[in-house]
Every structure is written in C-alpha cells, then in structure tokens.
Amino acid sequence: MIMAHNEKTLNNQVKDEIVISTAMRQAVTDIKTAILQGQYEAAKGVTRIQLAVYFGIGKYVSQHTRQGVWGTGALDIISKQLRRELPGLRGYSATQLKNMRKFYENWQMLDANSAIAIVELGKEQQIDIYHALQIPNIKDFPVEDFFRLPFTHHIRIIEGTKDIKERYYYIHRVIEENVAADNVISFIKANPYNGRDLMPSNFQRTIPDATTMRKAVMMFKDSYLLDYINVEEIGLRDSIDVDKRVVEKEIVNKAKNFIMTLGRDFAFMGNQQLLEVYGVEHFPDLLFFNRELNAMVVIELKTGEFKTTYLGQLMGYLTILDEKIRKAHENPSVGIVLCKSANREYVEFMIRDYSKPMGVATYKTADEMPERLRKALPNFEELKLLL
C-alpha cells in the first residue's frame, strides 16, 4: 500500500509539471503572436502600436500572475523560451515583462474593454493588440505625448510619480524637453510639478531652448524674504514710508546678501544703469548677469501691488538690452518684476502674450516677518551687542 501511495503521489507531481509546462508553452505562443503582430503593424508605420503591444502583454501577464495561474519563475521561463523561438529578440527579459505588467496596471484606466484583450482564463487565450489600449475621453489626458513617449520613459515616470495629474505633467514635459531615459528620474526629483513656489512667468513660451527654459523656470522663486532689509534699522518705523529707492539702496549696499537670496551664478552689474535709445533715457533698477543662463537679468522693484503696466516697462528694458547691450554669444535677457504683492493667476494670465522672457515675484522685508518669528529673533540693538 505504501508503494501504491508513493506511485500515486509521483503521478500527481508529473501531472502538475505537465500542466505547468503546457501553460508556459501557451503563454509563449500568445506573447510571440502579439510580438509578431506588433512588428507587422510597426512595419506599416503605425507608431502607437509598440505601446499597445506592451500594454496587451502587460495585461496578459498581470491576469496570469496576480491570479495565481502561473507559478514562481514563470516569467523567466517565458522570456528564455521567447528568445529561443525568436532569435535576436530584445526587450522581453523577465524584468521587461514585469515592466509591461507595471505599465498595464498603472494605466488600467485605458483598458477600454477588458473582455476583448484576454478571453476567460483557462480557455482560448489571446492578446489583442488592436483593442487593448484605447484612450477614453479623459479630461487633460496628453494623448499625443502619451504615444510619442518611449516605453522606458513611461516606466521611469510611473516609478517616479504617484498622482495621475503629476504623471500627465511629466509625460508632456519629458516629450517637450526631449529628456533622455536615464535622466527622467533626476528630472522628476527636481520636482518642477510641485514647484508651487516657482515664479509665475512666460518662460515656457519665450525661451525656445528647452534646457535653458527649464533652468530659468527652476531658478526663480515666487517670493523672496529680504530679511537683511529692516526698516527699523534704517530709521523708518512705518513700512508705508519705505519706497523702492530705499529698498534698492539696501539691496545695493548688501548686494552679496541679495545674490545669495536669488541663487547661484549671479553677478551684479549695477543699479540705475543708463539705457539710452533715440535720445530717450531709461534707468532699470537692478541689472545682473547669470552665468547659468548666460543672460542678463533686469529686476524692476515696486513697493505696491502688481500692475500690468510694469510688464510694458520691463518689455522696453529687455528690448534695449537685447538690441544695444547684449553680446553675440549671450542668450536673450530675462526680466523680473519684484513687487510687494501679486495675484498669481492674474499674473499668469496677463504675462502670457509678452514676447520676451519675464516673470513676477514678490518680496518681504524683515519687519514683515510673522510676529512669532520676529519675537523669536533678537532685536537690532541686542544683535549689535552680540556682534
């Protein structure tokens, strides 16, 4: 009886191995068919078909692995057999098959009809590359950029993001700026999407070079704390008495502090520098050169709320700088309005049609710090004693 039991157990093991082997062979056949169909369609010039193939295979793999149809190591077996049957095949390693699964599972919303792509598991199985990936009517979905983006870039964006809107944003930005696959993760880590503190500007429309544009977008903040300018220290108790000449004078006196506030690679060129054209004199408040942008940066100071007339004034300065001062090897000049307050949405609406690179930022001085922070700091007299 013991021998009979052992023989029965052995037969069951052999039967299980045959079932698994058959399942693997079927999977290889299905995936190979999808690959060959994709190659045929790609040869006809169907540019979106490669992503559809990966999406369909990803769904196939997802449904078979997540529901326990295949055992451990199945993807390795399938990958090796695919390479045997399709010599020279690239891009279908076990890791790549997992990435296809990831691609499908993260864009499952694009599976217009799950019943079409794979027939009921356990019966005739099929990957339909023609219907698996459909773009439904989704608001703000970047359809064109989605299909232009290579698969590896898609995986990097999936790995680097969680929010769907953020994913839309990076699909567009990566295509727009032609970011290499190896640089996508570092691009996302720079966090331009969450750059809510970045200055509203028209840089994306006015700076044609994508690299320079991104540098400019990331360089300037929405608001600056000029905490080294203290109206009490300069004898003005009421902030209403502070005009732009006072702020400008303090910035010039403490140019190093201001440059450190702006960021790296700024060089101070001067203040109230004469710009003359056709006998008309202009005096922009502050002029810098930025080595990273390879461009002059003119800053116009305003003590009140943002007004659209400031943009016209700045446009004039930039025109003179670019046509009369800029050297041949330098990029077009950048203009910044630095004012006490601004409605961000209003600025973005009004600045968009100006043809030169401009942005609007706000500033606060030390006396405008929150009361709890001011109390936590020593007053000016105490600070002088400490020094």
Side-chain angles (χ1 to χ4, degrees):
M1 290 184 65
I2 294 175
M3 291 180 61
H5 175 74
N6 289 340
E7 184 177 356
K8 183 178 180 181
T9 301
L10 181 61
N11 289 337
N12 287 337
Q13 291 175 348
V14 172
K15 183 179 179 181
D16 288 342
E17 290 176 1
I18 292 171
V19 171
I20 293 172
S21 178
T22 301
M24 293 302 98
R25 281 199 299 269
Q26 182 63 53
V28 170
T29 299
D30 293 337
I31 294 175
K32 183 173 72 171
T33 299
I35 293 170
L36 295 175
Q37 285 178 335
Q39 291 175 345
Y40 173 72
E41 294 297 331
K44 295 194 300 184
V46 183
T47 56
R48 60 185 280 171
I49 200 65
Q50 193 65 65
L51 288 181
V53 171
Y54 292 150
F55 188 84
I57 292 175
K59 177 172 184 176
Y60 185 89
V61 171
S62 177
Q63 292 196 348
H64 284 79
T65 54
R66 300 305 191 198
Q67 297 184 25
V69 178
W70 296 341
T72 304
L75 297 184
D76 282 314
I77 296 170
I78 292 170
S79 175
K80 290 174 183 176
Q81 188 60 32
L82 282 171
R83 284 197 287 267
R84 290 191 191 100
E85 298 189 18
L86 295 173
L89 179 68
R90 294 185 179 181
Y92 288 86
S93 65
T95 299
Q96 283 291 82
L97 292 173
K98 290 177 184 177
N99 281 340
M100 293 174 203
R101 178 176 63 190
K102 184 184 296 181
F103 180 58
Y104 167 74
E105 291 177 349
N106 280 273
W107 288 111
Q108 196 168 349
M109 58 190 274
L110 305 181
D111 183 7
N113 189 343
S114 60
I116 292 177
I118 296 182
V119 182
E120 184 181 353
L121 296 176
K123 297 183 180 180
E124 181 185 357
Q125 297 163 3
Q126 177 184 345
I127 302 172
D128 188 345
I129 64 172
Y130 301 100
H131 302 95
L133 180 57
Q134 299 289 326
I135 304 298
N137 185 19
I138 302 174
K139 184 181 178 182
D140 299 328
F141 188 87
V143 179
E144 185 176 339
D145 292 333
F146 183 89
F147 285 109
R148 289 174 59 199
L149 192 69
F151 180 69
T152 302
H153 291 66
H154 271 290
I155 296 303
R156 297 288 184 272
I157 290 174
I158 287 170
E159 291 172 344
T161 61
K162 293 181 180 179
D163 179 74
I164 191 68
K165 295 292 186 180
E166 184 179 8
R167 200 167 291 167
Y168 292 171
Y169 173 85
Y170 284 113
I171 287 173
H172 175 69
R173 285 292 301 273
V174 166
I175 282 291
E176 183 180 55
E177 300 187 32
N178 195 28
V179 180
D182 291 341
N183 297 331
V184 171
I185 294 298
S186 58
F187 181 82
I188 292 173
K189 285 183 178 178
N191 204 19
Y193 175 76
N194 290 311
R196 300 297 193 268
D197 62 339
L198 298 180
M199 179 183 67
S201 70
N202 63 357
F203 294 160
Q204 292 190 27
R205 295 183 180 87
T206 57
I207 302 179
D209 180 71
T211 301
T212 304
M213 181 273 290
R214 187 172 75 248
K215 288 178 181 177
V217 167
M218 299 302 295
M219 182 171 294
F220 299 101
K221 297 188 297 183
D222 177 56
S223 182
Y224 294 93
L225 175 61
L226 308 185
D227 55 356
Y228 49 87
I229 299 177
N230 192 319
V231 296
E232 293 183 2
E233 178 184 343
I234 57 181
L236 295 171
R237 298 291 174 180
D238 191 341
S239 61
I240 297 176
D241 295 333
V242 181
D243 63 20
K244 79 169 191 173
R245 293 287 172 251
V246 172
V247 177
E248 180 185 327
K249 181 180 177 182
E250 287 301 294
I251 287 175
V252 172
N253 289 339
K254 300 171 182 176
K256 182 178 178 181
N257 301 68
F258 187 70
I259 288 172
M260 290 176 65
T261 302
L262 287 178
R264 64 181 184 176
D265 288 333
F266 281 90
F268 182 48
M269 295 178 63
N271 69 300
Q272 296 298 318
Q273 187 163 331
L274 172 63
L275 301 179
E276 183 178 355
V277 60
Y278 296 111
V280 179
E281 297 180 343
H282 299 266
F283 298 91
D285 292 334
L286 299 164
L287 188 60
F288 296 85
F289 187 83
N290 184 267
R291 293 178 60 211
E292 184 76 13
L293 298 178
N294 189 31
M296 288 180 285
V297 177
V298 59
I299 296 179
E300 187 65 12
L301 287 169
K302 302 297 178 184
T303 54
E305 188 177 6
F306 166 77
K307 297 177 182 177
T308 55
T309 53
Y310 300 157
L311 298 178
Q313 182 182 16
L314 199 57
M315 183 81 173
Y317 293 158
L318 293 173
T319 299
I320 299 171
L321 286 171
D322 286 342
E323 295 190 16
K324 301 295 184 181
I325 308 296
R326 179 167 68 103
K327 297 184 183 300
H329 68 276
E330 295 174 355
N331 290 321
S333 305
V334 175
I336 308 295
V337 173
L338 193 58
C339 52
K340 294 303 295 292
S341 63
N343 180 314
R344 184 184 183 93
E345 288 75 19
Y346 179 63
V347 169
E348 290 175 341
F349 180 80
M350 297 303 299
I351 203 172
R352 60 185 182 177
D353 289 333
Y354 282 85
S355 60
K356 290 189 176 294
M358 293 187 288
V360 177
T362 60
Y363 71 92
K364 288 182 172 62
T365 55
D367 61 301
E368 297 172 291
M369 292 174 65
E371 187 67 22
R372 60 183 181 82
L373 292 180
R374 294 187 66 195
K375 288 181 177 179
L377 297 174
N379 63 34
F380 182 62
E381 294 301 322
E382 292 173 342
L383 196 57
K384 285 199 297 186
L385 291 174
L386 287 173
L387 294 173

